[in-house]
């Protein structure tokens, strides 16, 4: 371990007369500093020149932190359009927040929403979405975008990548880290400002991170938007699941559009040489069951077999692939306030149910600048193996309400 630390430290440009921690060799001190949570790096950089040089040399630092026990599983929240509202990095273990730079802005478009965010290694990807384009007519009609952006935590910079072949928002997406690929499926043009409208597509694409290009693969059996995607299995047994979503729509009294939500899933076999065929999985609930799929998270399991969980109002369900049905797992201890939304994410194998509490929901105290922020984030955490709940409270750095119905979230290990 000392040899590996020394080789990583040799990449740093630190003066030999400068020491990281007095009384300790720099290779040992570098291991100690690498254990500091990533969310605190910006605070401790100004401590001294040697610490600033070490924490700024992100390539060597990430090489020291690539072991799972040294890295932190962090949550990234996009409150609104990332080109006008900065995304934030949240460390739930240390209750620390760190803002990220704004995504590059295009002066001709605005109101980006329903995009997908996914991480792979030290990179964060923002794909597609729905927005308004001032160059289109009519200007008040949203349209999907094919834009793809990547944020590199090593250089701490955004860059624009090759766009998708088909513009899309509200689509299924999954990353295949060992092959450096991203798969997207379905989607449409629906915008968060409109309840039931927009187009639907069935096209599927695969992005090769190394080559920087998109390739079209076999499309979905039917048009599907608002769906969820995840991987199951590994090696030759790996599959890409696309679950839920909506397809055709009907109208009530010939005026009000209503979505027809899917109750099934479709699965594609992923081969080493490419992608296989789609197979359809039957309905996961009967007509008397729920009307639509709730919020989905996936917990990585042994041998690539994930545990799939759904948050439906105040209940958590687990998906049983063998019987193709949802089984009740647990009930959230504290129900969310009326007319509020909940966030659902998985960090370090635990399910996080997040509720944004406004000032009216908290004990009223003397108002200060900090208390004038949007409110408090109340997080209830469920451990699937231990079947236990715990909770924590943090005050996010937002000066506006956080609406989990439109906010986009993803996780990353740094």
């Amino acid at each position: 371990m000392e040899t590996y630390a020394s080789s990583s430290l040799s990449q740093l440009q630190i003066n030999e007369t400068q020491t990281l921690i007095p009384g300790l060799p720099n290779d040992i001190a570098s291991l100690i500093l690498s254990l500091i949570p990533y969310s605190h790096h910006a605070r401790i950089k100004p401590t001294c020149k040697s610490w600033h040089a070490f924490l700024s040399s992100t390539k060597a630092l990430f090489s020291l932190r690539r072991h799972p026990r040294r890295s932190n599983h962090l949550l990234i929240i996009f409150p609104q359009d990332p080109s006008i509202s900065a995304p934030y990095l949240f460390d739930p273990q240390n209750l620390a927040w760190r803002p990220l730079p704004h995504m590059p802005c295009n002066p001709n478009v605005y109101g980006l929403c329903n995009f997908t965010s996914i991480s792979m290694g030290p990179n964060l990807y923002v794909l597609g979405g729905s927005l308004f384009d001032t160059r289109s007519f009519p200007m008040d009609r949203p349209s999907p975008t094919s834009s793809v952006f990547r944020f590199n935590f090593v250089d701490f910079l955004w860059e624009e990548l090759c766009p998708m072949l088909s513009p899309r928002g509200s689509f299924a997406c999954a990353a295949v880290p060992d092959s450096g690929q991203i798969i997207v499926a379905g989607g449409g043009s629906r915008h968060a400002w409109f309840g039931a409208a927009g187009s639907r597509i069935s096209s599927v694409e695969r992005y090769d991170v190394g080559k920087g290009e998109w390739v079209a693969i076999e499309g979905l059996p039917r048009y599907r938007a608002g769906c969820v995607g995840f991987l199951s299995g590994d090696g030759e047994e790996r599959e890409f699941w696309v679950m839920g979503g909506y397809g055709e729509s009907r109208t009530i009294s010939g005026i009000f559009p209503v979505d027809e939500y899917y109750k099934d899933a479709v699965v594609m076999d992923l081969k080493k040489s490419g992608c296989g065929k789609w197979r359809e999985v039957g309905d996961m609930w009967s007509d008397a069951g729920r009307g639509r799929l709730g919020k989905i998270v996936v917990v990585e399991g042994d041998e690539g077999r994930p545990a799939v969980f759904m948050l439906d109002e105040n209940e958590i369900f687990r998906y049983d692939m063998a019987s193709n049905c949802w089984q009740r797992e647990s009930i959230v201890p504290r129900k969310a306030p009326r007319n509020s939304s909940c966030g659902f994410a998985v960090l370090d194998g635990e399910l996080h149910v997040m509720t944004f509490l406004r000032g009216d929901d908290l004990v009223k105290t003397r108002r200060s600048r900090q208390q004038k922020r949007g409110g408090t984030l109340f997080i209830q955490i469920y451990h699937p193996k231990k079947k236990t709940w715990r909770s924590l409270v943090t005050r996010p750095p937002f000066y506006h309400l956080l609406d989990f119905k439109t906010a986009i979230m993803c996780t990353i290990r740094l």
Side-chain angles (χ1 to χ4, degrees):
M1 183 172 63
E2 292 183 5
T3 303
Y4 178 70
S6 300
S7 62
S8 298
L9 189 65
S10 63
Q11 303 177 34
L12 303 175
Q13 296 180 354
I14 299 179
N15 193 308
E16 295 182 357
T17 60
Q18 296 178 345
T19 58
L20 293 174
I21 299 178
L24 288 178
N26 278 350
D27 55 351
I28 302 299
S30 66
L31 287 175
I32 296 175
L33 292 180
S34 68
L35 297 176
I36 298 175
Y38 180 82
S39 55
H40 289 309
H41 287 184
R43 295 182 180 181
I44 65 174
K45 272 186 180 181
T47 302
C48 60
K49 292 182 178 180
S50 59
W51 284 25
H52 188 279
F54 175 77
L55 296 174
S56 298
S57 301
T58 49
K59 291 184 179 179
L61 184 61
F62 280 135
S63 66
L64 288 171
R65 292 178 58 84
R66 66 183 179 184
H67 192 282
R69 293 185 178 180
R70 297 178 191 164
S71 61
N72 298 103
H73 207 184
L74 308 176
L75 179 67
I76 300 175
I77 300 179
F78 295 83
Q80 297 176 6
D81 183 346
S83 63
I84 61 173
S85 180
Y88 275 84
L89 194 70
F90 174 55
D91 183 354
Q93 291 187 353
N94 301 280
L95 297 182
W97 295 83
R98 181 176 182 181
L100 300 179
H102 290 77
M103 200 172 73
C105 177
N106 183 342
N108 297 307
V109 301
Y110 64 96
L112 177 65
C113 70
N114 289 340
F115 57 89
T116 296
S117 179
I118 196 169
S119 64
M120 184 185 296
N123 297 310
L124 170 69
Y125 294 83
V126 173
L127 306 96
S130 179
L131 46 72
F132 295 94
D133 194 330
T134 58
R135 297 165 296 184
S136 64
F137 181 84
M139 290 190 298
D140 61 349
R141 179 176 298 174
S143 58
T145 176
S146 59
S147 298
V148 178
F149 292 88
R150 177 172 62 195
F151 182 75
N152 188 338
F153 279 90
V154 174
D155 301 321
F156 215 69
L157 292 173
W158 286 98
E159 59 178 325
E160 187 170 5
L161 304 179
C162 176
M164 293 182 286
L165 302 179
S166 300
R168 68 185 79 213
S170 304
F171 54 93
C173 180
V176 190
D178 54 357
S179 61
Q181 295 181 346
I182 298 175
I183 303 176
V184 298
S189 62
R190 175 167 300 177
H191 197 275
W193 295 357
F194 301 91
S199 61
R200 286 89 160 158
I201 62 175
S202 61
S203 67
V204 182
E205 305 173 35
R206 183 180 67 238
Y207 179 69
D208 190 308
V209 175
K211 297 180 180 179
E213 62 181 15
W214 290 91
V215 177
I217 55 179
E218 182 179 343
L220 295 169
R222 292 173 290 175
Y223 294 127
R224 190 183 295 252
C227 43
V228 178
F230 60 88
L231 295 182
S232 176
D234 53 11
E236 289 291 334
E237 303 297 326
R238 177 166 289 166
E239 298 175 329
F240 175 49
W241 284 63
V242 177
M243 184 178 288
Y246 53 88
E248 300 297 331
S249 62
R250 58 185 174 87
T251 58
I252 300 177
S253 301
I255 300 176
F256 302 103
V258 178
D259 291 321
E260 293 285 351
Y261 287 96
Y262 290 122
K263 302 176 183 180
D264 64 347
V266 291
V267 184
M268 171 182 278
D269 293 328
L270 302 181
K271 308 296 183 182
K272 289 184 178 180
S273 57
C275 297
K277 300 292 183 178
W278 289 99
R279 63 180 174 88
E280 298 190 36
V281 178
D283 291 350
M284 295 175 281
W285 62 84
S286 63
D287 293 337
R290 63 184 58 83
R292 57 184 294 184
L293 203 65
K295 295 188 175 181
I296 302 294
V297 297
V298 178
V299 180
E300 296 181 1
D302 299 332
E303 298 181 356
R305 294 297 175 185
V308 184
F309 296 91
M310 174 177 64
L311 176 65
D312 187 6
E313 294 183 352
N314 199 45
E315 297 178 312
I316 293 179
F317 294 84
R318 183 196 291 258
Y319 178 63
D320 184 3
M321 290 186 178
S323 60
N324 187 34
C325 66
W326 292 94
Q327 301 175 353
R328 179 183 292 178
E329 174 76 12
S330 183
I331 298 178
V332 181
R334 179 175 174 178
K335 192 174 183 179
R338 184 174 299 178
N339 298 326
S340 65
S341 58
C342 291
F344 198 35
V346 57
L347 293 163
D348 289 322
E350 295 181 312
L351 310 184
H352 290 58
V353 180
M354 293 162 279
T355 307
F356 198 74
L357 303 179
R358 298 173 297 178
D360 298 340
D361 302 319
L362 304 173
V363 178
K364 293 184 178 180
T365 57
R366 185 174 180 271
R367 297 175 73 85
S368 64
R369 181 176 180 181
Q370 184 179 9
Q371 291 167 338
K372 287 181 181 179
R373 294 178 181 174
T376 297
L377 190 61
F378 179 60
I379 307 176
Q380 301 177 83
I381 305 172
Y382 176 71
H383 197 295
K385 293 183 179 179
K386 298 180 180 179
K387 310 290 185 182
T388 57
W389 284 92
R390 60 187 177 91
S391 63
L392 57 87
V393 177
T394 181
R395 189 175 293 276
F398 307 131
Y399 289 93
H400 50 76
L401 296 178
L402 181 61
D403 187 359
F404 284 110
K405 294 179 182 178
T406 56
I408 305 297
M409 298 188 298
C410 76
T411 61
I412 188 171
R413 283 198 174 274
L414 295 174

